[in-house]
């Protein structure tokens, strides 16, 4: 057997407990055939073998994004960038909207993403009247960083039929001022009509959004992502077409909403079935609540600064029970978005009831985000075999807004990474992009420091080691997708996906993780990115 590729003279962190470190790897037809020292790898060398001298660089298993929305991230890259780093005030947001309005024909949508009211100079949301003044002839729709709230101007509100007398939709909320007039703020299910109208989503646009997101992810060392909910059938078709063409750049494990399962079945796929080794159908995904920083996560106690606000739950317990039971009956892996303690409890109740009726020894059902926890909920997760999909990046990028919304006392067991390990609950690492930066280095930094952007620290007892953090982005993430047998560690027989770094993340200071060079990304034995 002649290797197609040999990596030599490296510092290989395998994440394989049987052989934690190595110096060389040999690859044949996209699979790893040898891991060890240079002599072992060179046994497979032939005249056609490409040899890369790593010169001491560190090799990890290809990093896995355990929960994100890549299609929406690709879309966000073509919309107005309203993150605090580019638009730190409402004035800056309005200036960006005005500039886009000048070069957009009247009636054309203006969309933006990424503002965070807790980081703006004014510490509030923009309003529809402010947007009306600078873009009176365009519908404007600006999504908060969390993706669970947005602000629309009057033209956009009129297009979806929202007015003063419109009641709050089930599982949603319309912002109103003291006179009962709409402020333009919309939350949760109140956003659905805007999403349908504001997107420029043709089949080719969906394909380009995936490619655009993939370019960014590959440059960050990510070789696989778990899509935690696409924008609908057009995205699922785009994934499948790219996979069939051999043109899907990043390996994809795609979650589908219950109403989309018919589409998957019509394509001849169901949970766990794949197109090649690039596209796999993942869990049936449900949404139970909103965001912590946006104060729409379903909680038992009201938010610290909003004593009448207990968040939003998207459905009653009976409806959630029925949806989970249906997925269990059909044999699906199930994943539910739940951040608040009330929402998480509702999910665990639904899981326990469904598993009592349809026992499965290795279901790997998941709670996406899994934010506000305590010992009782951790114990139930362990007993039921439920997995966690938290976002360490939230701690750094959104942590300051959590401190404002909850206070330190309620955050002692929030995104409890150490507790997940201590309780034996498998937890993956992820970013929820475009909610936060897709950069895994931010997640690694957050996991080991628990430090926010403003320099505060919360729940410091939940810090984990860098070795544990790396597990979250490699073998643990693979496990949550039933893929630990083919990815997540560097071992013979597994996919030849590698992330090549300029330094050893286990041997540098935590602050240096943020600037750790990503020098090369290899997918299936092919160099997909090189710095």
């Amino acid at each position: 057997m002649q290797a197609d590729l040999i990596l030599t003279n490296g510092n290989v962190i395998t994440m394989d407990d049987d052989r934690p470190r190595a110096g060389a790897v040999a690859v044949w037809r996209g699979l790893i055939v040898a891991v060890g020292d240079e002599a072992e790898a060179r046994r497979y060398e032939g005249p056609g073998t490409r040899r890369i001298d790593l010169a001491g660089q560190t090799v990890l298993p290809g990093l896995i994004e355990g929960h994100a929305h890549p299609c929406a991230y690709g879309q966000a890259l073509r919309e107005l960038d309203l993150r605090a780093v580019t638009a730190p005030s409402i004035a800056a947001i309005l200036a960006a909207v005005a500039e886009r309005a000048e070069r957009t024909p009247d009636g054309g949508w203006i969309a933006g993403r990424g503002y965070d009211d807790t980081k703006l100079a004014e510490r509030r949301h923009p309003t529809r009247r402010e947007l009306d003044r600078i873009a009176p002839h365009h519908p404007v729709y600006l999504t908060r960083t969390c993706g669970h709230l947005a602000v629309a101007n009057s033209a956009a509100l009129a297009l979806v039929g929202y007015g003063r007398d419109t009641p709050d939709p089930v599982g949603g909320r319309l912002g109103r001022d003291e006179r009962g007039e709409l402020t333009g703020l919309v939350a949760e299910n109140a956003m659905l009509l805007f999403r349908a109208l504001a997107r420029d989503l043709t089949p080719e646009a969906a394909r380009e959004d995936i490619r655009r997101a993939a370019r960014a992810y590959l440059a960050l060392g990510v070789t696989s992502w778990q899509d935690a909910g696409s924008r609908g059938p057009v995205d699922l078709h785009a994934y499948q077409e790219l996979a069939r063409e051999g043109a899907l750049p990043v390996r994809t494990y795609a979650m589908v909403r219950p109403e989309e399962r018919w589409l998957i079945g019509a394509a001849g796929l169901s949970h766990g079935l794949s197109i090649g080794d690039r596209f796999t159908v993942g869990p049936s995904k449900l949404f139970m609540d909103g965001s912590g920083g946006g104060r729409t996560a379903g909680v038992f106690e009201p938010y610290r600064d909003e004593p009448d606000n207990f968040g939003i739950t998207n459905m009653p317990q009976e409806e959630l029970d029925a949806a989970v039971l249906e997925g269990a009956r059909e044999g699906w892996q199930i994943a539910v978005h739940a951040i608040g303690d009330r929402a998480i409890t509702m999910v665990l109740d639904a899981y326990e009831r469904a598993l009592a009726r349809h026992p499965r020894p290795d279901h790997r059902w998941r709670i996406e985000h899994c934010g506000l926890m305590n010992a009782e909920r951790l114990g139930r997760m362990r007993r039921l075999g439920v997995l966690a999909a938290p976002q360490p990046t939230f701690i750094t990028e959104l942590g300051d807004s959590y401190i404002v919304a909850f206070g330190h006392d309620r955050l002692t067991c929030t995104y409890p990474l150490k507790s997940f390990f201590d309780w034996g609950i498998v937890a993956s690492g992820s970013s929820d992009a475009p909610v936060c930066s897709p950069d895994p280095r931010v997640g690694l930094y957050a996991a080991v420091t628990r430090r926010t952007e403003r320099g505060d620290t919360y729940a410091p007892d939940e810090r984990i080691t860098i070795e544990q953090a790396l597990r979250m982005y490699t073998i643990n993430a693979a496990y949550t997708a039933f893929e630990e047998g083919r990815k997540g560690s560097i071992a013979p027989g597994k996919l030849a996906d590698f992330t090549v770094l300029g330094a050893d993340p286990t041997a540098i200071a935590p602050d240096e993780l943020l600037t750790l060079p990503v020098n090369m990304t290899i997918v299936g034995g092919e160099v997909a990115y090189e710095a």
Side-chain angles (χ1 to χ4, degrees):
M1 184 188 298
Q2 177 181 300
D4 303 306
L5 173 69
I6 292 179
L7 305 177
T8 64
N9 192 24
N11 171 36
V12 182
I13 301 176
T14 67
M15 307 308 295
D16 179 0
D17 293 338
D18 292 334
R19 187 165 198 168
R21 298 268 177 161
V25 182
V27 175
W28 175 74
R29 295 188 179 178
L31 299 176
I32 299 167
V33 293
V35 182
D37 58 23
E38 185 165 349
E40 291 176 82
R42 292 194 65 178
R43 286 171 38 218
Y44 296 89
E45 189 171 14
T49 300
R50 179 183 181 186
R51 184 175 174 183
I52 297 178
D53 184 346
L54 295 168
Q57 297 176 93
T58 294
V59 180
L60 296 175
L63 297 176
I64 300 171
E65 163 71 90
H67 175 117
H69 304 273
C71 301
Y73 178 66
Q75 176 184 326
L77 293 175
R78 57 183 166 91
E79 294 180 341
L80 292 176
D81 180 1
L82 303 181
R83 294 172 301 153
V85 67
T86 55
S89 66
I90 288 176
I93 290 174
L94 297 178
V97 172
E99 191 278 332
R100 181 64 62 91
E102 288 181 0
R103 50 192 180 89
T104 301
D106 286 359
W109 281 86
I110 297 174
R113 172 127 196 180
Y115 85 88
D116 184 342
D117 51 297
T118 68
K119 296 180 181 179
L120 294 175
E122 298 84 356
R123 296 291 192 271
R124 64 174 177 84
H125 298 274
T127 68
R128 72 176 175 99
R129 297 196 183 280
E130 289 171 326
L131 297 173
D132 289 347
R133 284 197 295 271
I134 48 92
H137 306 299
H138 302 82
V140 180
Y141 183 67
L142 310 179
T143 305
R144 189 182 184 273
T145 183
C146 63
H148 292 267
L149 298 105
V151 62
N153 71 347
S154 295
L157 290 166
L159 281 173
V160 301
Y162 285 168
R164 177 189 174 96
D165 298 327
T166 303
D168 288 349
V170 175
R173 185 181 298 157
L174 300 174
R176 304 175 194 273
D177 63 20
E178 62 279 0
R179 300 186 305 276
E181 297 288 345
L182 298 182
T183 63
L185 191 66
V186 293
E188 302 301 339
N189 286 351
M191 303 168 64
L192 298 179
L193 293 173
F194 294 97
R195 290 172 178 164
L197 290 175
R199 293 176 181 146
D200 175 20
L201 197 54
T202 64
E204 184 50 43
R207 290 165 63 96
E208 183 52 37
D209 285 342
I210 292 170
R211 288 189 287 256
R212 187 183 296 110
R215 288 192 291 271
Y217 267 100
L218 289 169
L220 297 170
V222 174
T223 60
S224 296
W225 58 39
Q226 297 175 12
D227 188 322
S230 66
R231 297 165 299 180
V234 67
D235 285 340
L236 294 172
H237 278 304
Y239 274 133
Q240 293 177 29
E241 289 172 358
L242 288 169
R244 289 192 179 102
E245 296 165 8
L248 184 55
V250 174
R251 302 190 197 277
T252 300
Y253 188 71
M255 304 184 196
V256 296
R257 296 179 178 86
E259 62 270 22
E260 295 168 343
R261 295 206 299 254
W262 67 269
L263 172 71
I264 297 298
L269 298 170
S270 62
H271 170 254
L273 296 183
S274 304
I275 298 175
D277 58 15
R278 293 292 174 112
F279 178 81
T280 302
V281 179
S284 178
K285 168 80 179 294
L286 299 163
F287 285 85
M288 196 57 230
D289 69 347
S291 78
R295 296 167 180 77
T296 58
V299 291
F300 286 118
E301 298 177 40
Y303 288 88
R304 187 175 69 163
D305 53 349
E306 296 182 9
D308 297 324
N309 183 7
F310 291 83
I312 296 173
T313 50
N314 291 344
M315 65 186 86
Q317 184 72 57
E318 296 77 13
E319 186 177 337
L320 175 63
D321 289 352
V324 171
L325 185 61
E326 180 183 36
R329 188 183 302 115
E330 295 178 4
W332 286 82
Q333 183 187 19
I334 299 172
V336 185
H337 168 123
I339 289 179
D341 47 11
R342 180 162 60 96
I344 293 168
T345 299
M346 293 174 72
V347 173
L348 290 172
D349 288 346
Y351 281 1
E352 187 155 17
R353 290 164 186 156
L355 288 170
R357 294 183 62 177
H358 293 278
R360 294 173 61 187
D362 190 26
H363 55 79
R364 303 195 196 183
W365 290 359
R366 306 163 44 141
I367 297 180
E368 308 302 306
H369 308 300
C370 208
L372 275 66
M373 297 295 292
N374 63 10
E376 187 271 337
R377 286 183 285 278
L378 287 164
R380 290 187 72 189
M381 289 183 68
R382 170 65 177 171
R383 176 170 56 84
L384 294 172
V386 175
L387 312 181
Q391 291 68 47
T393 305
F394 281 12
I395 298 164
T396 291
E397 295 197 2
L398 306 180
D400 293 307
S401 68
Y402 269 68
I403 292 170
V404 172
F406 297 106
H408 279 285
D409 290 346
R410 288 172 67 183
L411 296 177
T412 55
C413 198
T414 301
Y415 302 111
L417 306 184
K418 184 175 185 297
S419 291
F420 289 140
F421 278 92
D422 291 346
W423 283 83
I425 297 166
V426 177
S428 58
S430 61
S431 71
D432 201 20
V435 172
C436 287
S437 163
D439 193 339
R441 296 172 298 182
V442 179
L444 295 173
Y445 166 85
V448 300
T449 67
R450 307 285 300 194
R451 196 175 301 152
T452 72
E453 284 184 342
R454 294 177 189 160
D456 206 341
T457 302
Y458 77 73
D461 291 343
E462 291 294 341
R463 294 185 181 112
I464 58 176
T465 67
I466 184 61
E467 290 81 7
Q468 289 173 316
L470 289 171
R471 290 190 71 85
M472 292 181 67
Y473 286 89
T474 54
I475 193 65
N476 280 16
Y479 182 89
T480 65
F482 294 90
E483 295 181 321
E484 73 277 11
R486 64 184 193 134
K487 63 173 70 168
S489 63
I490 299 175
K494 290 197 171 185
L495 294 168
D497 297 349
F498 311 113
T499 302
V500 181
L501 304 174
D504 184 342
T506 70
I508 59 177
D511 287 350
E512 296 178 72
L513 291 168
L514 294 170
T515 55
L516 180 59
V518 178
N519 291 343
M520 188 181 296
T521 305
I522 297 172
V523 184
E526 300 288 338
V527 176
Y529 165 81
E530 190 168 7

